[in-house]
Amino acid sequence: MSSRFCHSSSLHLLIGLFIFGSISAISAHENEDPTIKTMEAFSGYPIHESNSLVSDFVSSLSVETQTLQNQIDELSTFSDAPAPSVTRILYTEKDVLARRYIKNLMGLAGLSVREDTVGNIFGRWIGDEPELPPVATGSHIDAIPYSGKYDGVIGVLGAIEAINVLKRSGFKPKRSLEVIMFTSEEPTRFGISCLGSRLLAGIETLANNLKSTVDGQNISFLDAARSAGYANDQDDLSSVFLKKGSYSAFIELHIEQGPILEEEGISIGVVTAIAAPASITVDFEGNGGHAGAALMPIRNDAGLAAAELALAVEKHVLESGSIDTVGTVGILELHPGAINSIPSRSHLEIDTRDIDEKRRNTVIEKTHQSATTIANKRRVKLSEFKIINQDPPALSDKLIIEAAETASKELNLTYKKMISRAYHDSLFMARISPMGMIFIPCYKGYSHKPEEFSSKEDITNGVKVLALAVAKLSLN
Ligand code: GLV
Ligand code: MN
Ligand code: MN
């Protein structure tokens, strides 16, 4: 297939919204100008009467679907929960094995691999103009307890396969293409989501806080990182920070995690914005005591305070009047956790999100007021009300949206623009790079549970759109 392409380094033309320079030219039809054919192939705009070469290039993109599915299945076996569940927590043995698996696949794809001090993994395909900021794509492979095998994984294995697709087609990128596997998109172990991408975005408070952060077993972040082979030389995590402009574009492939694409029979979601997430931890303390002997009037039950606050979160979310406001108490722990002991301590972790940041902030404020009121009423101590993160939403970049739309059209795939209600590493990559996302349908919108599923056909479509989009962006 590589004979279909040759390299021309002198062409600089603006077509539509894409500037093409150093373009790989199609030379299949010898009597025609190869540079014009390449412009057609990547712009979607016919330069000549015929755009048959667009479809020539597009139909040359072939995904090794079964190989990719086998990789998804194999990766899912690096899990601390029995199949079909997947549990893969940051820096555990299974996470380290899974990382090794990804680095190996990157190597097999001919990418040059590097890792930073927290274990973000980068695999680069060097372009013809390596001094230009690369185009990046990627996602995460950590999995929350008892979840499925597609969340994040599609955006890592799918990205490596997208590189393979382009290599097999004979494509040569102008800008380098980079696959990123982000460390700990999920907040499971250290309570903070998108840990790797937040650090890449240069969030200094996080880099400092992580020096004293411990997990539920009191293992420090740095010790955990060291046990996985990272953070060996230094406690300073600022080496992870990337400068704004380090990438010319970042685009993430992900399952939708909602039902819209499947319900509407649409192949591709082109993400225009990512909703604003926040998370809060709350602790109440009471006196505890004997479940039989301590009579009701004298009790100050920390467990009931937590239960009441959980209901208050639901109330405040519903009061927003918008279907876009959501709130979840995903963790509620009682101490000492005995049937015949009044809870003396309770711990809640609250997740709330909205596409409207102000409305989401109102839920946080009302939740804080409720926590104070409940503590007073129940004579318990509100020992902590801590906002772990309160992130603004992110908008996708126009050029990346257009690259994904054009790619979908050229592949004859139906698509719709949509919002991501889930957060992703893209939310933070948007701070240092123009950002976009491609969604594929997933069964009944299921995610964060073992029933999570995307069909081979949908995955193949997503990988092709990603391949074509990064190819376009790499020539920009
Ligand atoms: C990501 O895992 C999210 O919770 O949105
Ligand atoms: Mn997830
Ligand atoms: Mn994810």
Side-chain angles (χ1 to χ4, degrees):
M1 293 295 274
S2 57
S3 63
R4 298 184 64 231
F5 289 79
C6 66
H7 182 245
S8 151
S9 61
S10 59
L11 184 66
H12 294 272
L13 259 175
L14 178 67
I15 300 168
L17 287 157
F18 290 104
I19 300 165
F20 293 95
S22 185
I23 288 180
S24 306
I26 298 172
S27 58
H29 301 248
E30 279 158 4
N31 297 329
E32 294 179 52
D33 177 351
T35 54
I36 288 183
K37 286 174 219 158
T38 301
M39 289 188 285
E40 289 175 339
F42 285 101
S43 69
Y45 296 93
I47 309 299
H48 283 177
E49 322 77 78
S50 154
N51 70 350
S52 67
L53 287 160
V54 175
S55 55
D56 268 10
F57 176 69
V58 167
S59 59
S60 80
L61 301 176
S62 87
V63 176
E64 290 197 351
T65 305
Q66 191 52 49
T67 306
L68 179 54
Q69 184 64 53
N70 293 346
Q71 290 167 356
I72 294 165
D73 294 343
E74 207 172 338
L75 191 61
S76 75
T77 65
F78 301 117
S79 165
D80 283 317
S85 295
V86 181
T87 300
R88 194 161 45 243
I89 311 294
L90 178 67
Y91 300 147
T92 59
E93 189 192 334
K94 296 296 166 30
D95 182 47
V96 171
L97 291 172
R99 286 164 173 275
R100 204 171 290 165
Y101 185 80
I102 296 298
K103 284 182 274 183
N104 185 46
L105 287 181
M106 285 180 169
L108 290 172
L111 305 180
S112 54
V113 180
R114 83 171 175 95
E115 293 175 276
D116 66 20
T117 199
V118 297
N120 289 310
I121 301 173
F122 307 81
R124 185 170 289 199
W125 179 12
I126 311 282
D128 286 331
E129 296 189 25
E131 64 289 351
L132 292 177
V135 172
T137 175
S139 194
H140 63 101
I141 61 158
D142 61 323
I144 67 163
Y146 298 94
S147 58
K149 59 183 171 185
Y150 298 88
D151 175 4
V153 165
I154 293 302
V156 178
L157 293 178
I160 298 171
E161 177 57 12
I163 299 288
N164 286 325
V165 166
L166 291 175
K167 288 198 166 189
R168 285 193 295 268
S169 79
F171 177 78
K172 283 178 134 200
K174 181 179 94 174
R175 292 176 185 275
S176 300
L177 294 180
E178 185 144 290
V179 178
I180 308 178
M181 195 221 81
F182 295 97
T183 281
S184 195
E185 190 261 2
E186 305 289 6
T188 317
R189 186 162 184 183
F190 291 100
I192 183 77
S193 60
C194 301
L195 193 154
S197 50
R198 281 178 199 268
L199 287 174
L200 289 175
I203 300 181
E204 281 182 32
T205 46
L206 177 61
N208 286 330
N209 291 345
L210 281 171
K211 289 181 203 163
S212 54
T213 299
V214 294
D215 69 4
Q217 266 66 53
N218 222 22
I219 299 171
S220 76
F221 173 80
L222 289 172
D223 282 348
R226 282 174 190 138
S227 76
Y230 300 109
N232 280 318
D233 314 328
Q234 48 182 346
D235 287 1
D236 181 9
L237 303 179
S238 64
S239 64
V240 175
F241 299 172
L242 292 179
K243 287 201 182 69
K244 199 169 176 175
S246 295
Y247 295 107
S248 68
F250 176 79
I251 182 163
E252 179 171 1
L253 174 65
H254 207 282
I255 59 169
E256 182 201 337
Q257 303 182 285
I260 297 170
L261 293 175
E262 186 188 64
E263 274 172 14
E264 298 184 9
I266 292 171
S267 299
I268 296 292
V270 176
V271 172
T272 54
I274 303 175
S279 62
I280 305 160
T281 59
V282 183
D283 290 297
F284 289 114
E285 282 175 36
N287 292 332
H290 196 284
L295 296 180
M296 300 308 276
I298 65 148
R299 294 186 182 196
N300 57 357
D301 185 328
L304 291 180
E308 207 172 325
L309 185 61
L311 291 174
V313 169
E314 183 192 44
K315 179 168 163 280
H316 300 324
V317 163
L318 295 175
E319 276 163 4
S320 99
S322 168
I323 195 78
D324 295 319
T325 320
V326 290
T328 308
V329 177
I331 295 178
L332 203 169
E333 289 163 355
L334 304 180
H335 180 84
I339 186 174
N340 52 357
S341 181
I342 300 161
S344 58
R345 291 206 300 267
S346 59
H347 171 79
L348 301 95
E349 297 193 13
I350 303 165
D351 174 307
T352 180
R353 317 180 189 201
D354 204 317
I355 57 171
D356 182 318
E357 188 180 5
K358 249 177 90 186
R359 222 165 36 202
R360 192 272 325 265
N361 288 346
T362 303
V363 171
I364 297 176
E365 280 155 29
K366 286 184 173 179
T367 302
H368 193 191
Q369 281 158 18
S370 289
T372 309
T373 311
I374 291 164
N376 288 337
K377 189 179 83 183
R378 292 190 169 273
R379 292 173 287 106
V380 295
K381 184 174 164 204
L382 176 61
S383 44
E384 180 160 280
F385 186 96
K386 187 171 176 189
I387 298 172
I388 302 295
N389 61 290
Q390 187 173 6
D391 305 305
L395 291 180
S396 299
D397 178 81
K398 193 165 168 280
L399 279 185
I400 302 183
I401 292 174
E402 283 178 6
E405 283 186 294
T406 310
S408 304
K409 280 184 210 153
E410 287 171 358
L411 287 155
N412 283 324
L413 295 171
T414 51
Y415 71 90
K416 81 177 281 176
K417 290 186 184 170
M418 60 197 305
I419 280 162
S420 172
R421 295 174 185 283
Y423 56 70
H424 302 280
D425 293 301
S426 292
L427 187 67
F428 298 96
M429 290 306 282
R431 298 186 184 190
I432 53 166
S433 164
M435 173 280 291
M437 291 192 74
I438 298 162
F439 277 174
I440 56 168
C442 58
Y443 174 63
K444 291 190 177 176
Y446 289 164
S447 188
H448 283 187
K449 53 185 199 168
E451 292 86 350
E452 188 176 270
F453 173 77
S454 278
S455 71
K456 283 192 225 170
E457 189 190 345
D458 286 327
I459 294 169
T460 301
N461 289 338
V463 171
K464 281 190 184 174
V465 173
L466 178 66
L468 199 47
V470 296
K472 287 170 185 295
L473 293 164
S474 84
L475 299 174
N476 201 351

